[in-house]
Amino acid sequence: MGKSKQVGNHKSDKKKNIAKTWKTKRRTKDLDQIHVDMIPANAAKLLKQEVDYDVTGCAQHYCLHCARYFVDLKSLKEHFKTKVHKRRLKQLREEPYTQAEAERAAGMGSYIPPKAVEVQTQQVEEDMD
């Protein structure tokens, strides 16, 4: 027999729900939230943030599609070439699910297939260093 996953939990209330803690630890933005961020007005605010010393890279190197901060421009450019970033771009090509689409699926209208959205990797300014 092996060890159980929770060890020494009978006295502590803090550790009761370890599974939920681990599932939400590295939670990122959902695709519909990223689509809202990709609106040009919101994207300009996210890409030109003020210096914040509490965030990685002082909030100066941000990937809009993955909702991640990077230490420097070099690591941001390397991220654009990775499989993780390319997979996220492919996921973002589909239009986000809306309330109107949910109502049509429930029989309150005729079905309209989701549209494809053109998504390209963001432009990087060289003078960000």
Side-chain angles (χ1 to χ4, degrees):
M1 257 175 50
K3 273 186 166 181
S4 64
K5 289 185 180 179
Q6 289 182 322
V7 178
N9 193 24
H10 57 271
K11 292 182 183 176
S12 174
D13 287 336
K14 294 178 184 174
K15 295 182 185 177
K16 271 199 173 162
N17 200 347
I18 289 178
K20 185 176 181 182
T21 304
W22 283 101
K23 284 179 188 175
T24 58
K25 185 174 182 180
R26 294 180 185 90
R27 180 140 172 83
T28 58
K29 286 186 176 182
D30 292 325
L31 295 177
D32 57 341
Q33 293 173 322
I34 293 175
H35 272 281
V36 171
D37 288 346
M38 286 172 37
I39 296 170
N42 296 342
K45 290 178 188 175
L46 286 170
L47 295 176
K48 306 261 187 203
Q49 295 182 27
E50 294 181 17
V51 176
D52 183 5
Y53 296 106
D54 295 332
V55 180
T56 305
C58 299
Q60 298 302 302
H61 310 286
Y62 182 73
C63 177
L64 188 64
H65 305 103
C66 300
R68 288 180 59 188
Y69 292 96
F70 291 91
V71 175
D72 57 358
L73 187 62
K74 181 181 177 190
S75 60
L76 178 64
K77 286 183 177 181
E78 288 175 5
H79 163 74
F80 289 155
K81 298 175 187 175
T82 62
K83 194 180 283 188
V84 176
H85 181 75
K86 291 176 183 176
R87 196 177 303 140
R88 179 54 65 97
L89 287 178
K90 193 171 187 178
Q91 290 172 343
L92 288 170
R93 286 190 185 124
E94 189 173 325
E95 188 178 46
Y97 192 75
T98 61
Q99 181 62 34
E101 188 175 351
E103 290 172 359
R104 286 193 302 267
M108 300 173 150
S110 58
Y111 175 72
I112 301 172
K115 299 174 185 170
V117 179
E118 182 65 31
V119 179
Q120 294 179 352
T121 300
Q122 68 198 39
Q123 297 296 321
V124 179
E125 296 179 10
E126 298 295 330
D127 61 338
M128 290 177 114
D129 287 334

